[in-house]
PDB file of all heavy atoms in Angstrom:
ATOM      1  N   THR H 509      27.349  18.173  -0.300  1.00 98.00           N
ATOM      2  CA  THR H 509      28.182  19.337  -0.351  1.00 98.00           C
ATOM      3  C   THR H 509      28.471  19.692  -1.790  1.00 98.00           C
ATOM      4  O   THR H 509      27.950  19.036  -2.716  1.00 98.00           O
ATOM      5  CB  THR H 509      29.602  18.983   0.317  1.00 98.00           C
ATOM      6  OG1 THR H 509      30.285  20.241   0.463  1.00 98.00           O
ATOM      7  CG2 THR H 509      30.372  18.005  -0.381  1.00 98.00           C
ATOM      8  N   GLU H 510      29.227  20.744  -2.031  1.00 98.00           N
ATOM      9  CA  GLU H 510      29.596  21.157  -3.320  1.00 98.00           C
ATOM     10  C   GLU H 510      31.046  21.611  -3.356  1.00 98.00           C
ATOM     11  O   GLU H 510      31.598  22.070  -2.331  1.00 98.00           O
ATOM     12  CB  GLU H 510      28.738  22.370  -3.873  1.00 98.00           C
ATOM     13  CG  GLU H 510      28.918  23.667  -3.010  1.00 98.00           C
ATOM     14  CD  GLU H 510      28.038  24.753  -3.610  1.00 98.00           C
ATOM     15  OE1 GLU H 510      27.358  24.600  -4.629  1.00 98.00           O
ATOM     16  OE2 GLU H 510      28.057  25.894  -3.014  1.00 98.00           O
ATOM     17  N   ILE H 511      31.697  21.319  -4.453  1.00 98.00           N
ATOM     18  CA  ILE H 511      33.122  21.626  -4.610  1.00 98.00           C
ATOM     19  C   ILE H 511      33.319  22.362  -5.921  1.00 98.00           C
ATOM     20  O   ILE H 511      32.811  21.970  -6.965  1.00 98.00           O
ATOM     21  CB  ILE H 511      34.024  20.293  -4.682  1.00 98.00           C
ATOM     22  CG1 ILE H 511      33.838  19.500  -3.411  1.00 98.00           C
ATOM     23  CG2 ILE H 511      35.444  20.696  -4.906  1.00 98.00           C
ATOM     24  CD1 ILE H 511      34.460  20.120  -2.127  1.00 98.00           C
ATOM     25  N   GLU H 512      34.076  23.460  -5.902  1.00 96.00           N
ATOM     26  CA  GLU H 512      34.352  24.180  -7.086  1.00 96.00           C
ATOM     27  C   GLU H 512      35.786  23.974  -7.542  1.00 96.00           C
ATOM     28  O   GLU H 512      36.664  24.090  -6.743  1.00 96.00           O
ATOM     29  CB  GLU H 512      34.151  25.653  -6.840  1.00 96.00           C
ATOM     30  CG  GLU H 512      34.391  26.544  -8.076  1.00 96.00           C
ATOM     31  CD  GLU H 512      34.164  28.029  -7.902  1.00 96.00           C
ATOM     32  OE1 GLU H 512      33.676  28.338  -6.708  1.00 96.00           O
ATOM     33  OE2 GLU H 512      34.471  28.840  -8.755  1.00 96.00           O
ATOM     34  N   THR H 513      35.965  23.618  -8.774  1.00 94.00           N
ATOM     35  CA  THR H 513      37.322  23.395  -9.359  1.00 94.00           C
ATOM     36  C   THR H 513      37.355  24.117 -10.633  1.00 94.00           C
ATOM     37  O   THR H 513      36.736  23.803 -11.648  1.00 94.00           O
ATOM     38  CB  THR H 513      37.581  21.891  -9.673  1.00 94.00           C
ATOM     39  OG1 THR H 513      36.569  21.434 -10.500  1.00 94.00           O
ATOM     40  CG2 THR H 513      37.601  21.114  -8.276  1.00 94.00           C
ATOM     41  N   GLY H 514      38.117  25.204 -10.692  1.00 87.00           N
ATOM     42  CA  GLY H 514      38.220  26.056 -11.897  1.00 87.00           C
ATOM     43  C   GLY H 514      36.842  26.621 -12.259  1.00 87.00           C
ATOM     44  O   GLY H 514      36.147  27.263 -11.459  1.00 87.00           O
ATOM     45  N   LYS H 515      36.419  26.261 -13.435  1.00 86.00           N
ATOM     46  CA  LYS H 515      35.068  26.748 -13.878  1.00 86.00           C
ATOM     47  C   LYS H 515      33.959  25.728 -13.757  1.00 86.00           C
ATOM     48  O   LYS H 515      32.831  25.937 -14.175  1.00 86.00           O
ATOM     49  CB  LYS H 515      35.118  27.103 -15.404  1.00 86.00           C
ATOM     50  CG  LYS H 515      36.095  28.261 -15.683  1.00 86.00           C
ATOM     51  CD  LYS H 515      36.114  28.588 -17.180  1.00 86.00           C
ATOM     52  CE  LYS H 515      36.992  29.842 -17.514  1.00 86.00           C
ATOM     53  NZ  LYS H 515      36.961  30.124 -18.992  1.00 86.00           N
ATOM     54  N   GLU H 516      34.320  24.632 -13.068  1.00 95.00           N
ATOM     55  CA  GLU H 516      33.358  23.559 -12.810  1.00 95.00           C
ATOM     56  C   GLU H 516      32.812  23.417 -11.355  1.00 95.00           C
ATOM     57  O   GLU H 516      33.650  23.594 -10.504  1.00 95.00           O
ATOM     58  CB  GLU H 516      33.892  22.247 -13.327  1.00 95.00           C
ATOM     59  CG  GLU H 516      32.885  21.106 -13.295  1.00 95.00           C
ATOM     60  CD  GLU H 516      33.389  19.875 -13.931  1.00 95.00           C
ATOM     61  OE1 GLU H 516      34.073  19.073 -13.378  1.00 95.00           O
ATOM     62  OE2 GLU H 516      33.141  19.736 -15.148  1.00 95.00           O
ATOM     63  N   LYS H 517      31.540  23.305 -11.228  1.00 97.00           N
ATOM     64  CA  LYS H 517      30.934  23.066  -9.901  1.00 97.00           C
ATOM     65  C   LYS H 517      30.479  21.631  -9.763  1.00 97.00           C
ATOM     66  O   LYS H 517      29.769  21.148 -10.722  1.00 97.00           O
ATOM     67  CB  LYS H 517      29.753  24.012  -9.709  1.00 97.00           C
ATOM     68  CG  LYS H 517      30.100  25.422  -9.761  1.00 97.00           C
ATOM     69  CD  LYS H 517      30.733  25.931  -8.540  1.00 97.00           C
ATOM     70  CE  LYS H 517      31.063  27.392  -8.549  1.00 97.00           C
ATOM     71  NZ  LYS H 517      30.342  28.341  -9.333  1.00 97.00           N
ATOM     72  N   THR H 518      30.814  20.942  -8.782  1.00 98.00           N
ATOM     73  CA  THR H 518      30.417  19.575  -8.561  1.00 98.00           C
ATOM     74  C   THR H 518      29.553  19.398  -7.361  1.00 98.00           C
ATOM     75  O   THR H 518      29.990  19.833  -6.214  1.00 98.00           O
ATOM     76  CB  THR H 518      31.648  18.595  -8.407  1.00 98.00           C
ATOM     77  OG1 THR H 518      32.395  18.714  -9.607  1.00 98.00           O
ATOM     78  CG2 THR H 518      31.199  17.199  -8.373  1.00 98.00           C
ATOM     79  N   MET H 519      28.296  18.913  -7.562  1.00 98.00           N
ATOM     80  CA  MET H 519      27.427  18.825  -6.438  1.00 98.00           C
ATOM     81  C   MET H 519      27.413  17.335  -6.026  1.00 98.00           C
ATOM     82  O   MET H 519      27.225  16.418  -6.852  1.00 98.00           O
ATOM     83  CB  MET H 519      25.978  19.243  -6.851  1.00 98.00           C
ATOM     84  CG  MET H 519      25.846  20.481  -7.698  1.00 98.00           C
ATOM     85  SD  MET H 519      26.580  21.876  -6.929  1.00 98.00           S
ATOM     86  CE  MET H 519      25.540  22.073  -5.459  1.00 98.00           C
ATOM     87  N   PHE H 520      27.578  17.085  -4.718  1.00 98.00           N
ATOM     88  CA  PHE H 520      27.580  15.654  -4.245  1.00 98.00           C
ATOM     89  C   PHE H 520      26.317  15.366  -3.489  1.00 98.00           C
ATOM     90  O   PHE H 520      25.904  16.150  -2.541  1.00 98.00           O
ATOM     91  CB  PHE H 520      28.849  15.492  -3.270  1.00 98.00           C
ATOM     92  CG  PHE H 520      30.142  15.499  -4.081  1.00 98.00           C
ATOM     93  CD1 PHE H 520      30.844  16.680  -4.296  1.00 98.00           C
ATOM     94  CD2 PHE H 520      30.635  14.286  -4.563  1.00 98.00           C
ATOM     95  CE1 PHE H 520      32.044  16.610  -4.932  1.00 98.00           C
ATOM     96  CE2 PHE H 520      31.794  14.267  -5.260  1.00 98.00           C
ATOM     97  CZ  PHE H 520      32.530  15.407  -5.466  1.00 98.00           C
ATOM     98  N   PHE H 521      25.697  14.261  -3.883  1.00 98.00           N
ATOM     99  CA  PHE H 521      24.461  13.866  -3.250  1.00 98.00           C
ATOM    100  C   PHE H 521      24.850  12.429  -2.673  1.00 98.00           C
ATOM    101  O   PHE H 521      25.928  11.835  -2.996  1.00 98.00           O
ATOM    102  CB  PHE H 521      23.306  13.631  -4.190  1.00 98.00           C
ATOM    103  CG  PHE H 521      22.871  14.958  -4.895  1.00 98.00           C
ATOM    104  CD1 PHE H 521      23.612  15.499  -5.950  1.00 98.00           C
ATOM    105  CD2 PHE H 521      21.677  15.580  -4.515  1.00 98.00           C
ATOM    106  CE1 PHE H 521      23.212  16.672  -6.527  1.00 98.00           C
ATOM    107  CE2 PHE H 521      21.280  16.726  -5.144  1.00 98.00           C
ATOM    108  CZ  PHE H 521      22.004  17.305  -6.113  1.00 98.00           C
ATOM    109  N   TYR H 522      23.905  11.771  -1.962  1.00 98.00           N
ATOM    110  CA  TYR H 522      24.089  10.432  -1.626  1.00 98.00           C
ATOM    111  C   TYR H 522      22.763   9.661  -1.570  1.00 98.00           C
ATOM    112  O   TYR H 522      21.732  10.281  -1.362  1.00 98.00           O
ATOM    113  CB  TYR H 522      24.830  10.240  -0.286  1.00 98.00           C
ATOM    114  CG  TYR H 522      24.110  10.730   0.944  1.00 98.00           C
ATOM    115  CD1 TYR H 522      23.347   9.810   1.685  1.00 98.00           C
ATOM    116  CD2 TYR H 522      24.260  12.032   1.390  1.00 98.00           C
ATOM    117  CE1 TYR H 522      22.695  10.267   2.867  1.00 98.00           C
ATOM    118  CE2 TYR H 522      23.589  12.457   2.574  1.00 98.00           C
ATOM    119  CZ  TYR H 522      22.768  11.593   3.246  1.00 98.00           C
ATOM    120  OH  TYR H 522      22.127  12.061   4.333  1.00 98.00           O
ATOM    121  N   ALA H 523      22.927   8.359  -1.851  1.00 98.00           N
ATOM    122  CA  ALA H 523      21.701   7.513  -1.951  1.00 98.00           C
ATOM    123  C   ALA H 523      21.639   6.590  -0.694  1.00 98.00           C
ATOM    124  O   ALA H 523      22.521   5.915  -0.384  1.00 98.00           O
ATOM    125  CB  ALA H 523      21.685   6.664  -3.241  1.00 98.00           C
ATOM    126  N   HIS H 524      20.416   6.599  -0.048  1.00 95.00           N
ATOM    127  CA  HIS H 524      20.224   5.686   1.105  1.00 95.00           C
ATOM    128  C   HIS H 524      19.985   4.283   0.454  1.00 95.00           C
ATOM    129  O   HIS H 524      19.345   4.126  -0.521  1.00 95.00           O
ATOM    130  CB  HIS H 524      18.919   6.025   1.836  1.00 95.00           C
ATOM    131  CG  HIS H 524      19.243   7.017   2.962  1.00 95.00           C
ATOM    132  ND1 HIS H 524      19.627   6.552   4.255  1.00 95.00           N
ATOM    133  CD2 HIS H 524      19.224   8.297   3.092  1.00 95.00           C
ATOM    134  CE1 HIS H 524      19.842   7.587   5.090  1.00 95.00           C
ATOM    135  NE2 HIS H 524      19.596   8.648   4.383  1.00 95.00           N
ATOM    136  N   GLU H 525      20.484   3.335   1.092  1.00 92.00           N
ATOM    137  CA  GLU H 525      20.343   1.922   0.731  1.00 92.00           C
ATOM    138  C   GLU H 525      18.786   1.632   0.707  1.00 92.00           C
ATOM    139  O   GLU H 525      18.110   1.848   1.699  1.00 92.00           O
ATOM    140  CB  GLU H 525      21.080   0.941   1.566  1.00 92.00           C
ATOM    141  CG  GLU H 525      21.095  -0.458   1.089  1.00 92.00           C
ATOM    142  CD  GLU H 525      21.927  -1.354   1.957  1.00 92.00           C
ATOM    143  OE1 GLU H 525      22.749  -0.829   2.832  1.00 92.00           O
ATOM    144  OE2 GLU H 525      21.845  -2.624   1.754  1.00 92.00           O
ATOM    145  N   GLY H 526      18.366   1.031  -0.360  1.00 92.00           N
ATOM    146  CA  GLY H 526      16.916   0.712  -0.446  1.00 92.00           C
ATOM    147  C   GLY H 526      16.099   1.706  -1.070  1.00 92.00           C
ATOM    148  O   GLY H 526      14.910   1.557  -1.358  1.00 92.00           O
ATOM    149  N   MET H 527      16.570   2.941  -1.289  1.00 96.00           N
ATOM    150  CA  MET H 527      15.859   4.052  -1.911  1.00 96.00           C
ATOM    151  C   MET H 527      16.384   4.388  -3.267  1.00 96.00           C
ATOM    152  O   MET H 527      17.653   4.652  -3.459  1.00 96.00           O
ATOM    153  CB  MET H 527      15.975   5.316  -1.044  1.00 96.00           C
ATOM    154  CG  MET H 527      15.293   5.288   0.241  1.00 96.00           C
ATOM    155  SD  MET H 527      15.349   6.826   1.204  1.00 96.00           S
ATOM    156  CE  MET H 527      14.424   7.943   0.132  1.00 96.00           C
ATOM    157  N   ALA H 528      15.582   4.263  -4.282  1.00 97.00           N
ATOM    158  CA  ALA H 528      16.009   4.465  -5.669  1.00 97.00           C
ATOM    159  C   ALA H 528      16.454   5.875  -5.902  1.00 97.00           C
ATOM    160  O   ALA H 528      15.596   6.832  -5.731  1.00 97.00           O
ATOM    161  CB  ALA H 528      14.932   4.054  -6.616  1.00 97.00           C
ATOM    162  N   PRO H 529      17.607   6.228  -6.301  1.00 98.00           N
ATOM    163  CA  PRO H 529      18.067   7.617  -6.521  1.00 98.00           C
ATOM    164  C   PRO H 529      17.445   8.182  -7.828  1.00 98.00           C
ATOM    165  O   PRO H 529      17.362   7.518  -8.789  1.00 98.00           O
ATOM    166  CB  PRO H 529      19.629   7.536  -6.615  1.00 98.00           C
ATOM    167  CG  PRO H 529      19.937   6.171  -7.144  1.00 98.00           C
ATOM    168  CD  PRO H 529      18.780   5.263  -6.535  1.00 98.00           C
ATOM    169  N   GLU H 530      17.112   9.475  -7.714  1.00 98.00           N
ATOM    170  CA  GLU H 530      16.493  10.085  -8.896  1.00 98.00           C
ATOM    171  C   GLU H 530      16.690  11.624  -8.814  1.00 98.00           C
ATOM    172  O   GLU H 530      16.562  12.239  -7.735  1.00 98.00           O
ATOM    173  CB  GLU H 530      14.888   9.776  -8.880  1.00 98.00           C
ATOM    174  CG  GLU H 530      14.153  10.564  -9.968  1.00 98.00           C
ATOM    175  CD  GLU H 530      12.603  10.394  -9.717  1.00 98.00           C
ATOM    176  OE1 GLU H 530      12.090   9.393 -10.324  1.00 98.00           O
ATOM    177  OE2 GLU H 530      12.035  11.260  -9.062  1.00 98.00           O
ATOM    178  N   TYR H 531      16.936  12.212  -9.963  1.00 98.00           N
ATOM    179  CA  TYR H 531      17.008  13.649 -10.064  1.00 98.00           C
ATOM    180  C   TYR H 531      15.969  14.022 -11.131  1.00 98.00           C
ATOM    181  O   TYR H 531      15.878  13.461 -12.244  1.00 98.00           O
ATOM    182  CB  TYR H 531      18.385  14.167 -10.597  1.00 98.00           C
ATOM    183  CG  TYR H 531      19.515  13.762  -9.694  1.00 98.00           C
ATOM    184  CD1 TYR H 531      20.589  12.989 -10.208  1.00 98.00           C
ATOM    185  CD2 TYR H 531      19.563  14.071  -8.362  1.00 98.00           C
ATOM    186  CE1 TYR H 531      21.658  12.594  -9.416  1.00 98.00           C
ATOM    187  CE2 TYR H 531      20.645  13.699  -7.583  1.00 98.00           C
ATOM    188  CZ  TYR H 531      21.686  13.017  -8.161  1.00 98.00           C
ATOM    189  OH  TYR H 531      22.745  12.607  -7.310  1.00 98.00           O
ATOM    190  N   VAL H 532      15.181  15.044 -10.810  1.00 98.00           N
ATOM    191  CA  VAL H 532      14.266  15.666 -11.834  1.00 98.00           C
ATOM    192  C   VAL H 532      14.736  17.090 -12.035  1.00 98.00           C
ATOM    193  O   VAL H 532      14.823  17.907 -11.128  1.00 98.00           O
ATOM    194  CB  VAL H 532      12.818  15.679 -11.284  1.00 98.00           C
ATOM    195  CG1 VAL H 532      11.875  16.324 -12.326  1.00 98.00           C
ATOM    196  CG2 VAL H 532      12.368  14.281 -10.926  1.00 98.00           C
ATOM    197  N   VAL H 533      15.158  17.377 -13.300  1.00 98.00           N
ATOM    198  CA  VAL H 533      15.852  18.626 -13.640  1.00 98.00           C
ATOM    199  C   VAL H 533      15.182  19.259 -14.800  1.00 98.00           C
ATOM    200  O   VAL H 533      14.796  18.669 -15.837  1.00 98.00           O
ATOM    201  CB  VAL H 533      17.329  18.269 -14.028  1.00 98.00           C
ATOM    202  CG1 VAL H 533      17.987  19.525 -14.409  1.00 98.00           C
ATOM    203  CG2 VAL H 533      18.078  17.615 -12.893  1.00 98.00           C
ATOM    204  N   SER H 534      14.827  20.620 -14.630  1.00 98.00           N
ATOM    205  CA  SER H 534      14.276  21.342 -15.676  1.00 98.00           C
ATOM    206  C   SER H 534      15.200  21.518 -16.843  1.00 98.00           C
ATOM    207  O   SER H 534      16.387  21.630 -16.697  1.00 98.00           O
ATOM    208  CB  SER H 534      13.852  22.715 -15.123  1.00 98.00           C
ATOM    209  OG  SER H 534      13.453  23.550 -16.147  1.00 98.00           O
ATOM    210  N   LYS H 535      14.628  21.576 -18.026  1.00 97.00           N
ATOM    211  CA  LYS H 535      15.504  21.763 -19.271  1.00 97.00           C
ATOM    212  C   LYS H 535      15.915  23.264 -19.363  1.00 97.00           C
ATOM    213  O   LYS H 535      16.847  23.586 -20.156  1.00 97.00           O
ATOM    214  CB  LYS H 535      14.688  21.321 -20.474  1.00 97.00           C
ATOM    215  CG  LYS H 535      14.584  19.859 -20.714  1.00 97.00           C
ATOM    216  CD  LYS H 535      13.916  19.600 -21.999  1.00 97.00           C
ATOM    217  CE  LYS H 535      13.844  18.125 -22.328  1.00 97.00           C
ATOM    218  NZ  LYS H 535      13.181  17.834 -23.620  1.00 97.00           N
ATOM    219  N   THR H 536      15.245  24.147 -18.589  1.00 95.00           N
ATOM    220  CA  THR H 536      15.571  25.554 -18.590  1.00 95.00           C
ATOM    221  C   THR H 536      17.097  25.775 -18.383  1.00 95.00           C
ATOM    222  O   THR H 536      17.637  25.186 -17.443  1.00 95.00           O
ATOM    223  CB  THR H 536      14.738  26.353 -17.620  1.00 95.00           C
ATOM    224  OG1 THR H 536      13.365  26.024 -17.791  1.00 95.00           O
ATOM    225  CG2 THR H 536      14.993  27.776 -17.705  1.00 95.00           C
TER     226      THR H 536
END
Side-chain angles (χ1 to χ4, degrees):
T509 189
E510 64 178 0
I511 301 290
E512 179 177 357
T513 57
K515 295 182 178 180
E516 185 167 87
K517 302 282 182 25
T518 302
M519 319 302 298
F520 289 90
F521 301 75
Y522 65 92
H524 270 275
E525 188 174 349
M527 292 183 64
E530 173 188 273
Y531 304 121
V532 180
V533 178
S534 172
K535 287 185 175 179
T536 305

